[in-house]
Amino acid sequence: MVLMTPHKENVKEPINKIILWPTFHAQWEDNSTYQISFTAIDIGSELYDELDVESHFFLDGQEYVAKSCVENIDTNTKEILAWHIYNEVNRLMVRSDLDATTTTNKDGQEPQAPSYSVEDVLKKWLDNNQLGFTYEVHGNFEKKQIENLSGNGKEMLSKIVELWPSITVFPDNKNIRIYDESEFSKDNGRVLDFPHDLKSLKTTHDSRTIINQIRCVGGKHTVEIQNGSGTGGNLDDVNGFCKSSINANFGVNKNSMCQDFANRSQRVKAWGVDVNKLYDTVKNAGVSPEWFFAYELQEQGTYYGWLNHTYKHGDAYQDAQSVCDWIKSTSQSDTINPAWSAPEGSMTPNASLAAKWNQEFGKGSIGRVYLQGTAAATWDLAGVTPNPRIGKPVTGCVNTIRGWGGHTNSGGGSWGWPFPSVGEGNFSLAQSFGYDGGYRQNSFHDGLDFGSIDHPGTDVHAVHGGKVTKKAWGGNQVLWYVVITDESGLNVEYQEAFSNSGDILVNEGDTVTTGQVIGHRNTSHLHIGITRHSFPEAFSHAFSNDGTWLDPRQTIKSGIAAGGTDNGGSSTTSMEVYYFQPFILEDEESIKEWGPQPGPDFVDERFHDAESMRQAGLKKLNPNPDLTVEVGLKGNSFIPKAGEILRVQARNKKYAGSWRTVAYDYYPKASNQDTQLTLNKTKQTILNYQAQRVNQIQSALNDQTVRLKGMASSLDKQSQSLTQVINNNQENNNDKHMSLDEDQLKRQKELAYGEEDKNG
């Protein structure tokens, strides 16, 4: 029984008598289609006149709303397409906040997008809605980061299916039910056998949809990158070298280096590269040309040299600029994730080594780049050689630079600021050197306090190069402190910033260069004192203005003015860098079987963590050919169920399998119209319904008339007469529409209003 409520009315009336039942058609497709369609005929019923768009129908406990009504005046029929009532969720709109302003975190970075559960998304649209929608969630789903959560209800459901691909939306009237596939799919033990139950069985394998390799690209944030002529570098050993800044100066003989590089570099000779122009390109980009050239010589003959590394195909200068941008970006990563493995071999990750390197090789250091970019460099620093053919690239760089006259360079007269991103910054009186008006004895302050507000950041950079001569506990007020002495005997002490010895990354005897990260501040400020007196003798003059202590601000500024590099202010540039480097995600088993099948980049700025993006990216892969199983059943006695797992077998072909029902076409009252099932097809999104189905409504309705031609052998008297009229009209007028004369309308009325409604 089909009941109808005309638009803007409340009464439910049965309309079975005006439905041409052979045309009644139920369709469902996973996360896409849920609708009925039929043809109604005018037999003088008032309900026929009231039948129009927005009429509501009730069938088998579910409600539908007419969205298309095509009236054929010449045939006295109306062709109806009705969507399931859950599609009315499209009338619920959540609008974006036009007054919202962008905020930033304390570190100056854009905040991460908020995380939502499936329930959170549904609540945003459905809580206290005026249309009576409710919801249920069956299954456990992790939270996802979502920006600008707005739009209509259909877009809301599409967003849910997009972010949680294992979800199926299957409503019960206005109760929106969200299922995990495992909760929705049920195996009732039903078996379809060919040829016993099935008229047709077709399987389609499609390898065009295989994707087993994608690139994952996450979000970016803005950082301050140090540029300029570069501070001193360390060539004492590979660890010292890796602590050096990416723009370190190793004091090489430039002419000797450029000439040797031009003679030895395969790409330089093959492409006719101007080495001096290349030198300037790299140096102006803020990267050490000595390191760049030495690395290229270590890796030439492979795909991993700097030149051609980003595949600019012969333009060495573009390639160098692109690589330098990557070097600067990688050097600012928050955490070192060592490249432990490579095709040539592998080793088990060593957590203690990784933690040690994260402490030793601060942001902006060569080591922070090397360890993440090259597995061979990681093995070199770890002291292992999985494969002798790989060599030791870091050791090779150190030896090559030494061969060009390079040496450990304390930075000469170079000076910088301890927090380069702000340079000098600002100071209150209680922070300044001398008589600062503070609480100290005689109000004299023996150093300069870089405070947490004026000087944000945790990484403490050396303001001057030299040897570490003291690392000790100085008491509750001083805490742990470190003293660095240059070649002239000038002492720079860093105190009141380090609660534990582990907060200081250097040890007595280490060589430190200007700009090197020497520790991590975990207090409110860093105190820097500068003196030519020895320790602890200088400490005894901490409250005396007797010349023991020098003004740090003036000393640093004078050093910068004398030719050193100001690591702050105008010598830094803002640059957008990735939270983690873009990476290639592959399904190795699929590649072995089908070969590389790359797909489009997976780009989503909401991801700030590589592992989270990797997990999401796995769902973007389609490692095997798609399988679609299409079956045509004999007649309409088999009632399909959405999501049901069916076993399909063809014993004569020794073929069998169990697959999930993802779509069906079902004519419940047309005994000769076979039920069609689609199994295991790739999921579609909710919005496909709007984007594709609406455009096909007219053609689908026209097809209904055409289908009537094939029913003559088994239709009852009603459908036989209708089919005859169609055939006659086609022969005489080439007209596809039905035309009913008075006798035929009389026959329809007799069938509709007779003692027994055989078609109802």
PDB file of all heavy atoms in Angstrom, residues 100-113:
ATOM      1  N   ALA A 100      34.538  36.264  12.002  1.00  0.00           N
ATOM      2  CA  ALA A 100      35.646  35.535  12.622  1.00  0.00           C
ATOM      3  C   ALA A 100      36.970  36.168  12.221  1.00  0.00           C
ATOM      4  O   ALA A 100      37.181  36.568  11.074  1.00  0.00           O
ATOM      5  CB  ALA A 100      35.617  34.074  12.199  1.00  0.00           C
ATOM      6  N   THR A 101      37.895  36.279  13.169  1.00  0.00           N
ATOM      7  CA  THR A 101      39.221  36.831  12.904  1.00  0.00           C
ATOM      8  C   THR A 101      40.254  35.744  13.104  1.00  0.00           C
ATOM      9  O   THR A 101      40.075  34.821  13.888  1.00  0.00           O
ATOM     10  CB  THR A 101      39.537  38.011  13.844  1.00  0.00           C
ATOM     11  OG1 THR A 101      39.426  37.567  15.200  1.00  0.00           O
ATOM     12  CG2 THR A 101      38.563  39.151  13.607  1.00  0.00           C
ATOM     13  N   THR A 102      41.352  35.864  12.362  1.00  0.00           N
ATOM     14  CA  THR A 102      42.431  34.890  12.466  1.00  0.00           C
ATOM     15  C   THR A 102      43.240  35.160  13.716  1.00  0.00           C
ATOM     16  O   THR A 102      43.653  36.294  13.977  1.00  0.00           O
ATOM     17  CB  THR A 102      43.348  34.974  11.238  1.00  0.00           C
ATOM     18  OG1 THR A 102      42.552  34.722  10.078  1.00  0.00           O
ATOM     19  CG2 THR A 102      44.453  33.942  11.331  1.00  0.00           C
ATOM     20  N   THR A 103      43.467  34.158  14.517  1.00  0.00           N
ATOM     21  CA  THR A 103      44.279  34.297  15.718  1.00  0.00           C
ATOM     22  C   THR A 103      45.556  33.517  15.552  1.00  0.00           C
ATOM     23  O   THR A 103      45.668  32.640  14.708  1.00  0.00           O
ATOM     24  CB  THR A 103      43.518  33.775  16.949  1.00  0.00           C
ATOM     25  OG1 THR A 103      43.182  32.403  16.724  1.00  0.00           O
ATOM     26  CG2 THR A 103      42.243  34.570  17.169  1.00  0.00           C
ATOM     27  N   THR A 104      46.534  33.852  16.366  1.00  0.00           N
ATOM     28  CA  THR A 104      47.806  33.145  16.321  1.00  0.00           C
ATOM     29  C   THR A 104      48.160  32.665  17.712  1.00  0.00           C
ATOM     30  O   THR A 104      47.707  33.203  18.718  1.00  0.00           O
ATOM     31  CB  THR A 104      48.934  34.054  15.804  1.00  0.00           C
ATOM     32  OG1 THR A 104      49.004  35.224  16.622  1.00  0.00           O
ATOM     33  CG2 THR A 104      48.666  34.473  14.368  1.00  0.00           C
ATOM     34  N   ASN A 105      48.967  31.622  17.774  1.00  0.00           N
ATOM     35  CA  ASN A 105      49.447  31.121  19.047  1.00  0.00           C
ATOM     36  C   ASN A 105      50.564  32.013  19.553  1.00  0.00           C
ATOM     37  O   ASN A 105      51.041  32.915  18.867  1.00  0.00           O
ATOM     38  CB  ASN A 105      49.952  29.689  18.882  1.00  0.00           C
ATOM     39  CG  ASN A 105      48.812  28.738  18.552  1.00  0.00           C
ATOM     40  OD1 ASN A 105      47.689  28.925  19.018  1.00  0.00           O
ATOM     41  ND2 ASN A 105      49.094  27.733  17.738  1.00  0.00           N
ATOM     42  N   LYS A 106      51.039  31.739  20.754  1.00  0.00           N
ATOM     43  CA  LYS A 106      52.086  32.553  21.353  1.00  0.00           C
ATOM     44  C   LYS A 106      53.379  32.522  20.553  1.00  0.00           C
ATOM     45  O   LYS A 106      54.156  33.462  20.590  1.00  0.00           O
ATOM     46  CB  LYS A 106      52.345  32.093  22.792  1.00  0.00           C
ATOM     47  CG  LYS A 106      51.194  32.407  23.741  1.00  0.00           C
ATOM     48  CD  LYS A 106      51.527  31.985  25.158  1.00  0.00           C
ATOM     49  CE  LYS A 106      50.391  32.331  26.105  1.00  0.00           C
ATOM     50  NZ  LYS A 106      50.688  31.929  27.494  1.00  0.00           N
ATOM     51  N   ASP A 107      53.601  31.425  19.840  1.00  0.00           N
ATOM     52  CA  ASP A 107      54.836  31.340  19.058  1.00  0.00           C
ATOM     53  C   ASP A 107      54.696  32.002  17.701  1.00  0.00           C
ATOM     54  O   ASP A 107      55.586  31.927  16.868  1.00  0.00           O
ATOM     55  CB  ASP A 107      55.264  29.880  18.875  1.00  0.00           C
ATOM     56  CG  ASP A 107      54.201  29.059  18.137  1.00  0.00           C
ATOM     57  OD1 ASP A 107      53.150  29.624  17.773  1.00  0.00           O
ATOM     58  OD2 ASP A 107      54.444  27.861  17.924  1.00  0.00           O
ATOM     59  N   GLY A 108      53.563  32.671  17.460  1.00  0.00           N
ATOM     60  CA  GLY A 108      53.381  33.388  16.214  1.00  0.00           C
ATOM     61  C   GLY A 108      52.835  32.544  15.088  1.00  0.00           C
ATOM     62  O   GLY A 108      52.613  33.041  13.990  1.00  0.00           O
ATOM     63  N   GLN A 109      52.579  31.258  15.339  1.00  0.00           N
ATOM     64  CA  GLN A 109      52.120  30.372  14.282  1.00  0.00           C
ATOM     65  C   GLN A 109      50.595  30.298  14.279  1.00  0.00           C
ATOM     66  O   GLN A 109      49.932  30.531  15.281  1.00  0.00           O
ATOM     67  CB  GLN A 109      52.707  28.967  14.463  1.00  0.00           C
ATOM     68  CG  GLN A 109      54.211  28.932  14.593  1.00  0.00           C
ATOM     69  CD  GLN A 109      54.889  29.601  13.417  1.00  0.00           C
ATOM     70  OE1 GLN A 109      54.379  29.573  12.321  1.00  0.00           O
ATOM     71  NE2 GLN A 109      56.036  30.205  13.654  1.00  0.00           N
ATOM     72  N   GLU A 110      50.056  29.979  13.094  1.00  0.00           N
ATOM     73  CA  GLU A 110      48.630  29.800  12.981  1.00  0.00           C
ATOM     74  C   GLU A 110      48.182  28.606  13.826  1.00  0.00           C
ATOM     75  O   GLU A 110      48.861  27.588  13.865  1.00  0.00           O
ATOM     76  CB  GLU A 110      48.242  29.560  11.522  1.00  0.00           C
ATOM     77  CG  GLU A 110      48.513  30.742  10.606  1.00  0.00           C
ATOM     78  CD  GLU A 110      47.644  31.939  10.930  1.00  0.00           C
ATOM     79  OE1 GLU A 110      46.523  31.729  11.428  1.00  0.00           O
ATOM     80  OE2 GLU A 110      48.087  33.074  10.712  1.00  0.00           O
ATOM     81  N   PRO A 111      47.061  28.726  14.526  1.00  0.00           N
ATOM     82  CA  PRO A 111      46.590  27.596  15.331  1.00  0.00           C
ATOM     83  C   PRO A 111      46.115  26.457  14.450  1.00  0.00           C
ATOM     84  O   PRO A 111      45.730  26.654  13.300  1.00  0.00           O
ATOM     85  CB  PRO A 111      45.424  28.204  16.126  1.00  0.00           C
ATOM     86  CG  PRO A 111      44.927  29.319  15.255  1.00  0.00           C
ATOM     87  CD  PRO A 111      46.158  29.880  14.577  1.00  0.00           C
ATOM     88  N   GLN A 112      46.149  25.242  14.994  1.00  0.00           N
ATOM     89  CA  GLN A 112      45.665  24.091  14.257  1.00  0.00           C
ATOM     90  C   GLN A 112      44.140  24.118  14.191  1.00  0.00           C
ATOM     91  O   GLN A 112      43.469  24.676  15.053  1.00  0.00           O
ATOM     92  CB  GLN A 112      46.123  22.799  14.918  1.00  0.00           C
ATOM     93  CG  GLN A 112      47.619  22.580  14.872  1.00  0.00           C
ATOM     94  CD  GLN A 112      47.985  21.183  15.325  1.00  0.00           C
ATOM     95  OE1 GLN A 112      47.158  20.292  15.384  1.00  0.00           O
ATOM     96  NE2 GLN A 112      49.249  20.989  15.633  1.00  0.00           N
ATOM     97  N   ALA A 113      43.603  23.546  13.131  1.00  0.00           N
ATOM     98  CA  ALA A 113      42.157  23.452  12.989  1.00  0.00           C
ATOM     99  C   ALA A 113      41.595  22.602  14.119  1.00  0.00           C
ATOM    100  O   ALA A 113      42.240  21.663  14.579  1.00  0.00           O
ATOM    101  CB  ALA A 113      41.805  22.837  11.632  1.00  0.00           C
TER     102      ALA A 113
END
